[in-house]
């Protein structure tokens, strides 16, 4: 039954695929959206709600540079024909159907359906941890994650959402990456570097 449903979905004009993404309240999520290389010059967007009345959360024609709009960021990597949408400070009411799409003039837009589910991770994981390290030294970072992600790739990445705060106090995120490349940010790691000049 599932195979028939997937086949039917892909036959709908404009639909590339349907993906499911889990995010955690108060954290962030990064969603990978692929598109046909013929449309690298077209506008990219991320909208919320059923397709017939989907409301733009972010839309841009900027290429190879991050664009911000409130809690949403979009980076269109034209070399890889992929754009990435990042949502910060997730709330449970963000749970909904979204579409990441390519604006195609005089044709049906090409888009991917995104089913976002925002849950609380309070039972398993700290929202943030603080560590200290001497300049030139090393630090061990230990991050917990929900049992449901035990088979997923784990990552630790430097925050890019606020470069000013990174320069003052290095910030990182621990999280998990799904098979489809989507990242769920779970724990913020704040590192206080001592002995800097």
């Amino acid at each position: 039954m599932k195979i028939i449903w997937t086949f039917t979905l892909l036959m709908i004009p404009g639909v590339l695929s349907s993906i499911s993404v889990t995010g955690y309240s108060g954290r962030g999520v990064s969603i990978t959206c692929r598109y046909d290389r013929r449309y690298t010059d077209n506008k990219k967007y991320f909208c919320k709600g059923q397709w017939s009345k989907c409301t733009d959360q972010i839309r841009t024609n900027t290429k190879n540079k991050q664009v911000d709009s409130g809690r949403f960021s979009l980076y269109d990597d034209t070399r890889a024909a992929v754009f990435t949408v990042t949502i910060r400070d997730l709330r449970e009411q963000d749970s909904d159907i979204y579409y990441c799409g390519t604006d195609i003039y005089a044709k049906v837009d090409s888009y991917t359906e995104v089913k976002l589910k925002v849950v609380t991770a309070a039972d398993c994981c700290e929202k943030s941890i603080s560590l200290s390290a001497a300049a030139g030294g090393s630090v061990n970072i230990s991050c917990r994650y929900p049992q449901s992600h035990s088979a997923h790739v784990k990552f630790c990445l430097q925050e890019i959402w606020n470069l000013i705060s990174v320069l003052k106090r290095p910030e990182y995120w621990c999280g998990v990456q799904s098979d489809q490349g989507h990242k769920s940010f779970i724990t913020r790691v704040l590192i206080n570097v001592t002995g800097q000049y």
Side-chain angles (χ1 to χ4, degrees), residues 16 34-42 44 77-82 102 110:
L16 293 178
R34 303 189 181 282
Y35 59 86
D36 192 306
R37 288 186 180 276
R38 291 177 294 171
Y39 304 124
T40 54
D41 291 334
N42 297 56
K44 310 304 186 304
D77 182 349
T78 57
R79 286 162 296 197
V82 168
T102 302
S110 174

Side-chain angles (χ1 to χ4, degrees), residues 14 16 33-47 51 54 56 58-63 74 76 83 99-112:
L16 293 178
C33 305
R34 303 189 181 282
Y35 59 86
D36 192 306
R37 288 186 180 276
R38 291 177 294 171
Y39 304 124
T40 54
D41 291 334
N42 297 56
K43 286 184 180 179
K44 310 304 186 304
Y45 61 87
F46 190 72
C47 64
W51 181 248
C54 200
D56 282 354
I58 187 167
R59 177 183 290 259
T60 183
N61 200 33
T62 302
K63 311 300 176 192
L74 191 153
D76 184 6
F83 70 91
Y99 293 90
C100 49
T102 302
D103 197 349
I104 304 174
Y105 179 72
K107 290 185 179 180
V108 175
D109 286 357
S110 174
Y111 55 86
T112 296

Side-chain angles (χ1 to χ4, degrees), residues 86-149:
T86 301
I87 311 173
R88 301 177 289 278
D89 188 25
L90 285 168
R91 301 150 192 178
E92 289 189 17
Q93 58 265 36
D94 289 328
S95 294
D96 208 328
I97 292 177
Y98 295 79
Y99 293 90
C100 49
T102 302
D103 197 349
I104 304 174
Y105 179 72
K107 290 185 179 180
V108 175
D109 286 357
S110 174
Y111 55 86
T112 296
E113 181 185 70
V114 179
K115 297 173 183 176
L116 175 63
K117 181 180 180 182
V118 179
V119 297
T120 178
D123 294 340
C124 91
C125 322
E126 298 118 322
K127 187 171 182 179
S128 67
I129 55 177
S130 296
L131 301 169
S132 292
S138 62
V139 62
N140 290 324
I141 300 172
S142 179
C143 297
R144 298 177 65 192
Y145 54 85
Q147 185 65 33
S148 57
H149 293 297

Side-chain angles (χ1 to χ4, degrees), residues 138-163:
S138 62
V139 62
N140 290 324
I141 300 172
S142 179
C143 297
R144 298 177 65 192
Y145 54 85
Q147 185 65 33
S148 57
H149 293 297
S150 59
H152 289 170
V153 173
K154 315 305 181 296
F155 68 85
C156 183
L157 104 100
Q158 188 165 10
E159 166 147 27
I160 58 173
W161 298 336
N162 188 340
L163 293 178

Side-chain angles (χ1 to χ4, degrees), residues 11-27:
M11 294 301 291
I12 299 172
V15 178
L16 293 178
S17 62
S18 179
I19 57 177
S20 296
V21 180
T22 300
Y24 297 92
S25 182
R27 280 79 159 182

